[in-house]
Amino acid sequence: MVDEATKRTLAKIPLLKTKAGPRDGELWVQRLKEEYMSLIKYVQNNKESDNDWFRLESNKEGTRWFGRCWYIHELLRYEFDVEFDIPVTYPTTAPEIALPELDGKTAKMYRGGKICLTDHFKPLWARNVSKFGIAHAMALGLGPWLAVEIPDLISKGVVTHKEKQAEGADN
Amino acid sequence: MSSASNVGFRLMALKRMGIVDNYEKIREYTVAVVGVGGVGSVTAEMLTRCGIGKLLLFDYDKVELANMNRLFYQPHQSGMSKVEAAEKTLKEINPDVEFEVYNYNITTMENFDHFMDRIKNGGMKENTPVELVLSCVDNFEARMAINTACNEIGQSWFESGVSENAVSGHIQFIIPGETSCFACAPPLVVATKTDERTLKREGVCAASLPTTMAVVAGFLVQNTLKYLLKFGEVSYYLGYNALQDFFPKYAMKPNPQCEDRFCCKQQISFKEREALKPKVEAVEEKEEEVVHDDNPFEIELVSEMTEEESKAAEGETPELTEGLRLAYTTPSQNTQEDASASIENTEKSIEELMKEMKGL
Ligand SMILES: [Zn+2]
């Protein structure tokens, strides 16, 4: 089951309307606009609730996404690169979000640093096909993953704090 | 070494014993194996040893030492791309097999069209399709990509899989338009009397056993041989429950409301082809109809779910056979209420939105 906080976060992310994937030409352009609007709203929500935790951008076709995400643990900020492709079967299948820097450092990942999603992710995504977008995948997939895995990786000493913070991702 | 000796006289004996009409036909056939990991590599090896004409291999992974609990690959190959390592080994086993190997991810825009093209034109004679596609991938996205491609092309294929707890597996034969496709219904799960809700997943994504993978590969190639060489009966869905040694079998018709529009198109052309066929009496297919039961199917939930979630989940549930269930259910089209608002229309261009996102 999804926890209450995630549910509330999810409820505030606007749902998407256009069912289209990257092979659908003009319809994809429309979908991409909706993806951006939904993401912008989600980031704004996060800022308002003092929980800003990622930035994303894409190539101009909107098929490849990349950016940064961060997690605050004991007042220290841990940052990671995020990347993923939009599969040809999107939005029927969710994007596989990857944190390449952590590849090989945890068993909770598939090859290439793709995060292992919990059992409830797929059914939820399937029930909301086309209405859920990238913002929902971040909120439901990567957000909870970081919250569980990063403290664990820190305690095991696998992830250590870098003094030098990346520039431009301040808040 | 002559071809006959590579294929082996014991295989040829199948013909002499009357099991197979013409075993040599196997040399004319092309099979595409997508994913050459635990199941796919063993599948490719079996086909190579059976004397298949040509193999197309697709995978973007590398051989890793951490995966040495599985069959086929060897420690000295670690770091090599799986397709490259597989081709090398398989050519040593049987130099008569032709290969085309692709080290890429089929689910991305970059590669998907090329993947489709090779399915359509990668047969033994260029510009002829492969005879069969075997899905040996380990994730939902790649299965769905294969499904999309095969529905568009009208290509018959086998789906295969091993569960994340490694104690069950399945194969499924999909003839676009004729049998249920991978998008027609939520995936089927072989129930193994373990309580999946209490399945401990801490620390790992998935377990793997070479035994389960070899059994599934064996099922897959056995049915491939039966299909190609026309002997016995090809199973539509064959499950393997390793804990109880139970093997559920099942056949499901396609869903007329399938989300994949090419599946729906293929269903129409299948019906047209069927209508043109001369009527043969009393040869009724033993396929089970998809029954829409009034009583909700005994849904076994995959994970901890609240009652409202499971109520919302009551979509159309087909009548299944003993030992099988759906991985999850999806709601019927109209009954969904949304807690969240939909996105509003915008006059902004995509460039403006990208800029706005960057400026946050
Ligand atoms: Zn279908």
Side-chain angles (χ1 to χ4, degrees):
Chain A
M1 196 192 93
V2 183
D3 63 90
E4 280 307 313
T6 308
K7 264 189 186 164
R8 277 195 302 276
T9 307
L10 219 50
K12 284 190 215 148
I13 305 174
L15 295 171
L16 286 75
K17 289 191 288 204
T18 307
K19 188 187 176 194
R23 298 174 77 224
D24 294 326
E26 273 307 301
L27 275 177
W28 172 243
V29 178
Q30 179 55 35
R31 169 83 187 191
L32 194 55
K33 278 191 185 182
E34 295 177 11
E35 293 283 0
Y36 266 101
M37 286 195 291
S38 166
L39 272 165
I40 289 165
K41 179 73 177 134
Y42 180 36
V43 172
Q44 283 167 345
N45 291 347
N46 290 342
K47 283 182 151 188
E48 278 161 26
S49 57
D50 203 21
N51 181 32
D52 197 18
W53 67 275
F54 74 89
R55 285 294 180 280
L56 280 177
E57 55 184 293
S58 74
N59 62 356
K60 69 177 195 309
E61 295 82 16
T63 52
R64 177 138 194 86
W65 291 72
F66 43 91
R68 306 280 288 166
C69 67
W70 52 92
Y71 185 79
I72 313 286
H73 183 72
E74 291 172 350
L75 303 174
L76 291 173
R77 175 165 148 148
Y78 298 81
E79 272 204 46
F80 308 96
D81 284 330
V82 192
E83 59 176 49
F84 54 88
D85 288 299
I86 298 295
V88 287
T89 48
Y90 188 80
T92 303
T93 63
E96 296 177 282
I97 299 169
L99 306 177
E101 290 158 76
L102 297 181
D103 190 16
K105 292 186 175 177
T106 160
K108 285 281 198 74
M109 277 187 162
Y110 298 108
R111 56 189 164 186
K114 290 172 178 171
I115 63 165
C116 198
L117 296 165
T118 55
D119 278 342
H120 63 249
F121 183 91
K122 257 169 208 163
L124 253 175
W125 186 273
R127 284 182 206 121
N128 292 282
V129 161
S130 87
K131 289 183 290 185
F132 274 12
I134 293 164
H136 300 85
M138 293 294 278
L140 204 57
L142 186 57
W145 191 92
L146 290 175
V148 172
E149 300 307 321
I150 299 304
D152 184 51
L153 290 171
I154 294 168
S155 75
K156 286 179 182 152
V158 178
V159 165
T160 51
H161 187 255
K162 290 176 211 141
E163 279 305 312
K164 235 184 93 196
Q165 293 290 345
E167 289 164 15
D170 61 308
N171 67 123
Chain B
M1 237 194 308
S2 75
S3 299
S5 69
N6 286 337
V7 169
F9 72 94
R10 287 196 193 276
L11 286 169
M12 290 304 171
L14 285 170
K15 189 172 158 183
R16 251 165 274 143
M17 288 178 173
I19 303 289
V20 181
D21 281 344
N22 193 357
Y23 191 86
E24 292 97 318
K25 283 286 267 187
I26 196 157
R27 288 189 214 137
E28 295 165 23
Y29 295 134
T30 304
V31 172
V33 180
V34 189
V36 283
V39 174
S41 61
V42 175
T43 295
E45 179 175 343
M46 287 178 181
L47 288 169
T48 299
R49 291 184 189 273
C50 286
I52 194 81
K54 181 175 174 185
L55 285 175
L56 271 62
L57 308 178
F58 299 85
D59 202 305
Y60 66 100
D61 211 3
K62 286 191 168 70
V63 179
E64 278 179 54
L65 272 180
N67 286 340
M68 286 303 146
N69 69 316
R70 297 174 187 177
L71 304 171
F72 190 71
Y73 295 108
Q74 301 193 12
H76 69 85
Q77 293 173 315
S78 62
M80 276 173 94
S81 79
K82 283 184 176 170
V83 289
E84 190 194 345
E87 181 183 12
K88 201 167 168 288
T89 306
L90 298 173
K91 273 184 171 163
E92 280 166 23
I93 294 171
N94 185 349
D96 291 334
V97 181
E98 273 181 50
F99 286 91
E100 264 185 48
V101 304
Y102 299 101
N103 181 25
Y104 61 53
N105 179 354
I106 62 155
T107 71
T108 63
M109 280 296 280
E110 234 183 314
N111 304 317
F112 186 72
D113 284 345
H114 185 267
F115 170 66
M116 285 234 303
D117 175 75
R118 293 329 296 151
I119 300 303
K120 260 189 281 188
N121 299 308
M124 285 206 80
K125 288 190 208 101
E126 186 58 30
N127 301 322
T128 59
V130 305
E131 267 69 34
L132 204 55
V133 175
L134 304 180
S135 165
C136 303
V137 298
D138 60 2
N139 65 84
F140 185 69
E141 294 71 25
R143 287 189 176 95
M144 205 52 108
I146 297 168
N147 190 61
T148 302
C150 290
N151 275 337
E152 279 188 40
I153 301 168
Q155 171 69 53
S156 297
W157 64 291
F158 273 96
E159 208 288 281
S160 76
V162 171
S163 64
E164 294 201 322
N165 62 11
V167 290
S168 69
H170 71 273
I171 62 161
Q172 181 179 358
F173 187 34
I174 297 171
I175 310 168
E178 193 177 333
T179 68
S180 176
C181 89
F182 191 67
C184 278
L188 293 174
V189 172
V190 178
T192 52
K193 297 179 187 168
T194 45
D195 190 352
E196 269 99 353
R197 278 162 294 189
T198 60
L199 181 67
K200 288 189 177 59
R201 290 176 53 121
E202 274 129 63
V204 282
C205 286
S208 83
L209 275 172
T211 46
T212 312
M213 291 193 277
V215 169
V216 170
F219 277 166
L220 188 59
V221 178
Q222 196 77 291
N223 280 277
T224 297
L225 293 176
K226 289 194 284 183
Y227 172 74
L228 293 177
L229 300 173
K230 300 184 175 60
F231 66 100
E233 279 171 37
V234 178
S235 286
Y236 288 99
Y237 186 101
L238 175 57
Y240 170 43
N241 160 354
L243 296 185
Q244 276 81 34
D245 274 340
F246 184 64
F247 306 86
K249 263 179 82 169
Y250 187 58
M252 199 161 72
K253 286 193 170 148
N255 174 2
Q257 271 101 46
C258 182
E259 289 275 322
D260 187 319
R261 65 193 162 92
F262 282 96
C263 174
C264 299
K265 269 193 185 172
Q266 296 286 0
Q267 290 180 43
I268 292 166
S269 48
F270 172 68
K271 282 199 188 112
E272 286 168 357
R273 284 199 307 275
E274 283 299 284
L276 288 176
K277 276 188 190 167
K279 290 241 161 24
V280 187
E281 267 174 73
V283 186
E284 201 145 299
E285 290 256 331
K286 267 165 78 189
E287 257 176 315
E288 283 169 59
E289 285 280 348
V290 178
V291 184
H292 302 294
D293 208 332
D294 284 337
N295 304 317
F297 179 73
E298 189 195 341
I299 306 166
E300 284 184 63
L301 300 173
V302 192
S303 54
E304 314 147 61
M305 220 189 258
T306 61
E307 260 190 52
E308 60 185 295
E309 273 179 316
S310 59
K311 251 187 233 158
E314 270 171 37
E316 294 191 353
T317 49
E319 186 97 332
L320 299 175
T321 190
E322 189 200 339
L324 289 180
R325 60 180 176 80
L326 293 172
Y328 47 80
T329 55
T330 48
S332 35
Q333 294 299 329
N334 309 317
T335 57
Q336 249 177 320
E337 301 171 32
D338 290 313
S340 327
S342 285
I343 207 97
E344 279 160 35
N345 292 326
T346 183
E347 295 298 308
K348 289 175 194 165
S349 71
I350 192 74
E351 289 76 19
E352 286 171 305
L353 288 166
M354 285 178 173
K355 226 179 180 178
E356 195 177 331
M357 180 81 190
K358 269 191 193 169
L360 281 171

